[in-house]
Amino acid sequence: MSRYNFKLTESKWQTIWKEKKSFSAFKNSNKPKYYILEMFPYPSGRIHMGHVRNYTLGDVVARYKKARGFNVLHPMGWDAFGLPAENAAIENNTHPAKWTNENIKTMRKQLKTMGLSYDWSREISTCDPKYYRHEQKMFLDFLNAGLAYRKESWVNWDPVEKTVLANEQVINGKGWRSGSEVQKRKLSQWFLRISAFSKDLLDDMKNLDRWPEKVKLMQTNWIGRSEGAYINFKIFNNQKKLKVYTTRPDTIFGATFCALSPNHELSQSLAKTNKSVETFILECNRMGTSEIEIEKADKRGINTGLTCQHPFISTKKLPIFIANFVLMEYGTGAIFGCPAHDQRDLDFALKYQLEIIPVVSLNGNHTTINKTAFTDNGIMINSMFLDGLDTFTAKKQIIKKIQELKVGKGTTNYRLRDWGVSRQRYWGCPIPIIHCKKCGIIPVPEKDLPITLPTDAEFNQSGNPLDSHPSWKYVPCPKCKKDAQRETDTFDTFFESSWYYARFTDPQNSISGFSKEAANYWLPVDQYIGGVEHAVLHLLYSRFFMRALQKCGYVSHKEPFSGLMTQGMICHSTYKDTQGNWVPPSEIIELEKSKYKLIKDGSTVTTGRSEKMSKSKKNVIDPEFIISTYGADTARLFMLSDSPPDRDLDWTDSGIEGAWKYINKLWRLITEESESLISANTSKPMQFNKAELFWRRLIHKTIFEVSNDLDKFHFNKAVARIRTLTNEIGSFKPSNNNMKWIKREGFETIIKLINPIMPHLAEELWEKLGQKKALVETTWPNVNTLLLVDEKTTIAVQVNGKLRGTIDLPIDLEKSAVEVIALNLDTVKSKIKNSNIKKIIIVPNKIVNVVI
């Protein structure tokens, strides 16, 4: 036979699936629903190998669940707003909309060559006014419900992108996209009240049992629940009190100073009359804002000249500093410093020669603190009425005393802060607000939605093009009709991606974005797939958004994603030429194992370690080249073969060639023997001998194991088992009609098992075997559980402890199967009749006891 012609086959079946609308999703009460969704892509221009892996994983799940009888929703869309499009407009002298739509067209075409089982009729683009008009309405509903508000606050400012960043978008003190040092600025911003759901978001984490533990831990840490106390320190020569939040009130007797955030109200007040304080605050606002950055930074401060009274020692005065390591975003923006038991406080105290008083020791004995703070639990010392208590008891006692003296109170605090959604850029969803000098902040009337972007914005100047537009922002006030101005900030693009999964349930709905009926039927997403880098940003915002939508009556559910899979990265070896420049794999040739040279001049190439594919290191492989050279099924097979989906995958030429060889082997094996096989749909023989049963057991064990692997997302194990079965079934020549029937069963089983993985090849081979019904409409192969093991055992079946019969079953048969067979015994059914079954007790391989 000739080599497998993937180009003809893949084009053929993609056309058939499209014409038959094989993947269109509709509500169907006769089938259990299954909503599978991969994180939708940003339309950057071309798909990359990370896309190929992500969408292959989702497609395998979608096709498998469809074959298992589920009503599957599997949509695709585009996360189309964002600064890259605006930057491209500046660089290429084009409009962001034109750049974005051209990229979508290109990437859509590329994705379709992969044979993905998407319902393309549900395709959405977040930059389409038909999409974002609904989120404008949602924002107005949030505003009405008290979940959105505007205030002046300190924000993270990216000086390169000239926009505000949420705390979650500041990575190691730098902008998550630009990589530039983030600064602090005070601006009027729009916020969503995510902090109102802190407890709920944290408590409901326990219900996300199909989420990776590492993601739940990241969210738990970000929400940051802590038990502590507010303590008020009286400021001398001042009518005000300094309110401090602490998680270690037990160390209050070790307090030797207090410190303010540079952006604390008192700090700002002092800066107005003190040039040194003003200069210090400006320096602080130029440093990184992340906790990691602050930990690494030299601990610096400035003495305000103010002092406050220790709440339990009336004669003790504590100096008040402004310090660069105190965050305004956490607690009250003020701390008491206990150098002996906090490393940052200790570093600060050593620098400024402040007193260090140990108040906790490991065993209650006196201890000395030098350069390392003692941060463990222990026994209280030097703490008056707390002496001798363990730290846990001391915390309870000191909080009780604080409340008795009315100098503070115990409290539960959360690290999570409200989500600032204002961005100073053009290519985003306009915030539907009008500012009127007379009427103040006025929501845009719903009848005037959507507020669309002007098409004639200028991008040749710095700052937000909407703010400098000559006409767009000037409108009459909806209330008083006098001159007013639109809000020129646009939404953070995470706003769009926080509800798109709901839009997919009813994408043609022009009234409310989606109907509650459709959302309640399809949501939550049963399986969500995407990168772990979105653990805090996108996933936390989506969880909040779902709760906000529920509060406003849009949906009945709280959680958007009941299951989550985070896939690993695609990695490739890196290469450098003799000048130390990165070299792409396409420009080198292998001389011998691990030795390479440049194709153009034969010079030596140095091989580096395998790293995540990136344009900067040029270690990328173009998916379009792979698909055009080997076919989509080969790329899909390789993506699933070499490692579990949650781990990084190393791309190798030998790996993709190995996948291609297997495909051709399977093609030759089945096509060469197809005509000699017993005809399709021939009845199963009545009996099989021991040798024949061996082959049938092999087939059905593989069905059982591959099904189990796919249920657990062990795709690489499933591929390995299918390859083993291929080798086994291909190794024997049928000697009679029974064996011919078994060989056909083996071939048909292999084809059905590879269908989610290599759907084009599977459909073509299925047709070659004489099957008339398309494989996409064919059910998953059934397992004959009696063939799973070689031995049987007799099990006693009881009702309320009395024997009602026996059944012969395979040893170690699944409990669910044992239960079904036992309940179908006539003697058991007659005894149970209409009684309610309280429980079923199964002793493996021995007894089934039905309790009524």
Side-chain angles (χ1 to χ4, degrees):
M1 294 292 293
S2 60
R3 192 166 66 164
Y4 171 57
N5 190 331
F6 68 85
K7 290 187 177 180
L8 283 178
T9 300
E10 293 182 356
S11 175
K12 167 187 171 181
W13 287 104
Q14 287 168 19
T15 301
I16 291 172
W17 295 331
K18 180 180 178 181
E19 290 174 350
K20 291 188 175 181
K21 298 181 179 179
S22 298
F23 308 115
S24 295
F26 304 97
K27 183 179 177 181
N28 186 344
S29 58
N30 296 322
K31 292 182 177 182
K33 72 91 180 176
Y34 194 89
Y35 186 176
I36 169 74
L37 181 65
E38 305 94 63
M39 294 180 184
F40 63 168
Y42 177 76
S44 57
R46 299 183 67 80
I47 63 171
H48 53 69
M49 281 300 177
H51 291 133
V52 174
R53 190 183 197 193
N54 191 21
Y55 303 140
T56 296
L57 294 173
D59 198 55
V60 170
V61 176
R63 288 177 177 272
Y64 171 64
K65 291 296 182 179
K66 179 177 172 63
R68 293 305 296 257
F70 286 85
N71 183 31
V72 175
L73 171 59
H74 189 206
M76 171 52 71
W78 310 95
D79 192 9
F81 273 137
L83 267 172
E86 202 161 328
N87 292 337
I90 298 169
E91 294 170 13
N92 303 315
N93 193 29
T94 187
H95 194 278
K98 184 175 184 292
W99 184 85
T100 300
N101 289 325
E102 287 177 352
N103 287 351
I104 287 175
K105 184 178 179 181
T106 300
M107 292 177 69
R108 183 194 297 118
K109 182 179 179 181
Q110 291 179 312
L111 287 179
K112 286 188 174 182
T113 65
M114 290 177 61
L116 302 166
S117 59
Y118 291 131
D119 181 353
W120 283 103
S121 70
R122 292 175 182 259
E123 181 182 8
I124 61 174
S125 173
T126 61
C127 67
D128 185 342
K130 293 178 182 177
Y131 178 86
Y132 68 71
R133 81 170 298 276
H134 301 296
E135 72 182 52
Q136 290 176 340
K137 173 61 166 58
M138 290 172 188
F139 175 78
L140 296 179
D141 288 340
F142 293 171
L143 188 64
N144 189 52
L147 296 175
Y149 64 95
R150 181 179 172 87
K151 73 170 183 178
E152 189 177 57
S153 67
W154 289 95
V155 297
N156 305 306
W157 180 261
D158 189 315
V160 171
E161 295 191 336
K162 293 183 171 58
T163 189
V164 168
L165 301 179
N167 288 338
E168 296 88 343
Q169 293 167 313
V170 180
I171 311 299
N172 295 331
K174 297 179 180 180
W176 72 301
R177 284 192 183 276
S178 71
S180 62
E181 293 285 344
V182 170
Q183 302 170 359
K184 286 288 186 180
R185 284 193 181 183
K186 200 167 190 178
L187 294 174
S188 289
Q189 299 285 289
W190 286 100
F191 290 84
L192 296 183
R193 210 179 295 277
I194 188 172
S195 64
F197 296 92
S198 295
K199 184 178 186 300
D200 193 55
L201 288 165
L202 190 61
D203 290 348
D204 284 352
M205 206 84 72
K206 65 179 180 295
N207 300 323
L208 301 177
D209 54 359
R210 292 196 298 113
W211 278 44
E213 288 301 320
K214 62 182 178 182
V215 174
K216 293 197 286 185
L217 180 61
M218 291 168 75
Q219 287 210 5
T220 297
N221 291 339
W222 190 262
I223 296 168
R225 175 177 175 146
S226 60
E227 302 291 337
Y230 289 116
I231 304 177
N232 296 316
F233 291 76
K234 182 181 178 182
I235 301 175
F236 286 101
N237 302 319
N238 194 310
Q239 297 300 313
K240 294 185 178 181
K241 293 180 180 179
L242 183 63
K243 187 177 183 180
V244 165
Y245 172 74
T246 177
T247 58
R248 292 295 306 271
D250 54 302
T251 63
I252 186 64
F253 291 101
T256 60
F257 68 95
C258 284
L260 310 174
S261 162
N263 297 318
H264 190 279
E265 180 185 9
L266 181 54
S267 304
Q268 294 296 306
S269 176
L270 293 169
K272 292 176 182 178
T273 56
N274 188 317
K275 192 66 178 177
S276 296
V277 170
E278 180 187 23
T279 301
F280 178 74
I281 290 174
L282 289 173
E283 291 174 1
C284 290
N285 286 337
R286 283 195 291 268
M287 71 177 284
T289 59
S290 73
E291 289 187 20
I292 294 175
E293 198 76 8
I294 289 170
E295 288 291 343
K296 292 178 181 177
D298 182 34
K299 306 302 178 289
R300 297 176 57 235
I302 185 168
N303 197 326
T304 65
L306 299 174
T307 57
C308 59
Q309 181 180 311
H310 192 289
F312 293 100
I313 308 174
S314 60
T315 58
K316 186 168 188 177
K317 292 183 177 181
L318 305 179
I320 300 175
F321 288 80
I322 299 171
N324 66 349
F325 63 91
V326 182
L327 293 171
M328 192 63 215
E329 293 79 13
Y330 186 70
T332 64
I335 66 162
F336 73 74
C338 180
H341 305 293
D342 183 285
Q343 191 61 46
R344 290 182 301 182
D345 294 352
L346 179 60
D347 294 342
F348 189 82
L350 291 172
K351 185 179 182 72
Y352 294 100
Q353 299 181 340
L354 301 172
E355 188 180 12
I356 299 168
I357 305 173
V359 292
V360 184
S361 71
L362 190 62
N363 51 20
N365 296 328
H366 179 73
T367 185
T368 301
I369 302 295
N370 294 313
K371 292 185 178 181
T372 303
F374 180 75
T375 57
D376 293 336
N377 294 325
I379 305 299
M380 305 306 298
I381 59 174
N382 302 323
S383 298
M384 298 173 64
F385 56 86
L386 297 180
D387 283 350
L389 299 178
D390 62 83
T391 48
F392 177 76
T393 305
K395 282 182 183 179
K396 294 172 67 176
Q397 287 294 321
I398 197 68
I399 290 173
K400 181 180 178 182
K401 198 71 173 177
I402 286 169
Q403 293 178 161
E404 285 178 0
L405 297 177
K406 297 182 179 180
V407 294
K409 65 176 182 177
T411 187
T412 298
N413 208 349
Y414 295 90
R415 179 178 179 271
L416 184 63
R417 290 295 173 262
D418 286 341
W419 173 16
V421 294
S422 297
R423 298 294 180 269
Q424 295 68 40
R425 59 168 175 243
Y426 167 82
W427 194 235
C429 173
I431 298 176
I433 292 294
I434 292 171
H435 299 277
C436 176
K437 289 183 178 179
K438 179 182 178 183
C439 306
I441 293 173
I442 304 297
V444 171
E446 186 178 348
K447 65 180 179 61
D448 294 335
L449 300 180
I451 303 302
T452 58
L453 294 164
T455 58
D456 58 346
E458 294 290 337
F459 301 97
N460 56 3
Q461 55 189 338
S462 64
N464 181 1
L466 294 178
D467 204 37
S468 57
H469 194 278
S471 60
W472 179 84
K473 68 177 182 178
Y474 300 106
V475 293
C477 171
K479 192 173 181 181
C480 71
K481 309 304 179 185
K482 293 185 180 298
D483 291 345
Q485 291 187 18
R486 295 189 195 279
E487 172 66 69
T488 57
D489 287 353
T490 54
F491 284 132
D492 178 7
T493 53
F494 282 104
F495 202 106
E496 284 84 56
S497 60
S498 293
W499 72 279
Y500 80 109
Y501 51 85
R503 177 64 169 170
F504 275 137
T505 67
D506 192 12
Q508 308 308 323
N509 190 312
S510 61
I511 299 172
S512 59
F514 53 88
S515 72
K516 192 170 184 178
E517 180 187 10
N520 286 345
Y521 172 73
W522 288 111
L523 292 174
V525 174
D526 296 280
Q527 189 60 55
Y528 198 37
I529 302 175
V532 72
E533 66 272 17
H534 298 294
V536 171
L537 289 162
H538 164 59
L539 291 172
L540 187 59
Y541 291 158
S542 295
R543 294 184 65 217
F544 154 71
F545 222 91
M546 192 77 159
R547 285 162 171 77
L549 290 174
Q550 183 195 46
K551 185 172 181 178
C552 293
Y554 283 81
V555 295
S556 299
H557 305 289
K558 285 202 297 184
E559 292 293 343
F561 317 116
S562 57
L564 174 68
M565 181 204 302
T566 55
Q567 88 278 6
M569 297 180 293
I570 306 291
C571 302
H572 195 291
S573 296
T574 51
Y575 308 98
K576 285 186 176 181
D577 61 19
T578 52
Q579 282 75 46
N581 300 312
W582 298 108
V583 179
S586 59
E587 294 180 11
I588 65 174
I589 188 170
E590 190 171 11
L591 299 173
E592 53 186 277
K593 189 173 182 180
S594 300
K595 290 188 176 181
Y596 302 89
K597 68 175 182 179
L598 279 176
I599 295 173
K600 64 179 181 181
D601 59 15
S603 59
T604 303
V605 173
T606 304
T607 306
R609 66 181 184 180
S610 180
E611 296 188 41
K612 176 188 175 183
M613 285 188 182
S614 67
K615 292 179 181 178
S616 62
K617 294 181 179 176
K618 297 186 177 180
N619 63 334
V620 296
I621 299 294
D622 185 0
E624 197 166 280
F625 170 77
I626 296 299
I627 291 171
S628 63
T629 304
Y630 296 100
D633 281 350
T634 305
R636 293 167 63 112
L637 178 61
F638 174 69
M639 287 292 174
L640 300 166
S641 299
D642 277 25
S643 67
D646 59 337
R647 297 183 187 173
D648 293 348
L649 183 149
D650 276 316
W651 181 275
T652 62
D653 291 341
S654 60
I656 195 71
E657 287 165 3
W660 174 236
K661 286 178 182 177
Y662 171 73
I663 283 177
N664 279 281
K665 175 183 177 179
L666 184 59
W667 171 258
R668 288 192 301 270
L669 176 64
I670 293 180
T671 54
E672 287 175 2
E673 295 195 37
S674 61
E675 293 184 3
S676 64
L677 293 175
I678 199 165
S679 62
N681 302 316
T682 300
S683 298
K684 185 179 77 172
M686 297 296 291
Q687 288 186 321
F688 297 95
N689 61 33
K690 189 173 183 179
E692 292 162 354
L693 283 173
F694 167 81
W695 294 104
R696 294 209 68 216
R697 287 193 181 97
L698 182 65
I699 292 167
H700 284 263
K701 283 180 182 178
T702 304
I703 296 171
F704 176 79
E705 290 166 342
V706 168
S707 301
N708 192 44
D709 289 334
L710 295 182
D711 284 332
K712 295 178 179 178
F713 306 137
H714 296 165
F715 302 128
N716 57 319
K717 292 182 180 180
V719 169
R721 296 188 206 279
I722 295 168
R723 285 189 167 189
T724 299
L725 182 62
T726 302
N727 292 334
E728 296 288 351
I729 296 298
S731 69
F732 77 85
K733 299 294 181 183
S735 56
N736 56 43
N737 283 339
N738 276 16
M739 290 299 282
K740 287 181 179 180
W741 188 92
I742 291 170
K743 185 135 193 176
R744 170 174 278 278
E745 182 187 27
F747 281 163
E748 290 185 353
T749 296
I750 291 168
I751 292 169
K752 286 185 173 183
L753 295 181
I754 68 165
N755 181 41
I757 300 165
M758 298 172 282
H760 309 90
L761 174 66
E763 289 278 15
E764 190 69 9
L765 289 175
W766 188 248
E767 189 178 73
K768 289 285 185 186
L769 289 186
Q771 297 290 350
K772 303 301 180 185
K773 186 178 181 181
L775 190 57
V776 73
E777 301 301 333
T778 304
T779 58
W780 193 249
N782 291 319
V783 177
N784 184 336
T785 55
L786 296 177
L787 293 171
L788 294 182
V789 290
D790 297 330
E791 299 178 44
K792 293 183 179 181
T793 185
T794 300
I795 296 176
V797 181
Q798 301 174 340
V799 177
N800 289 341
K802 293 185 178 181
L803 184 65
R804 298 298 173 185
T806 61
I807 48 177
D808 292 330
L809 295 176
I811 291 175
D812 296 327
L813 185 62
E814 284 186 304
K815 285 187 176 181
S816 58
V818 174
E819 181 177 311
V820 170
I821 295 169
L823 291 176
N824 276 307
L825 273 179
D826 290 339
T827 52
V828 173
K829 287 195 287 187
S830 64
K831 187 65 180 175
I832 296 174
K833 292 183 180 178
N834 297 321
S835 301
N836 290 324
I837 298 175
K838 294 180 180 177
K839 60 181 175 179
I840 299 175
I841 302 168
I842 298 177
V843 180
N845 303 316
K846 293 182 179 179
I847 295 171
V848 178
N849 184 21
V850 182
V851 181
I852 59 175

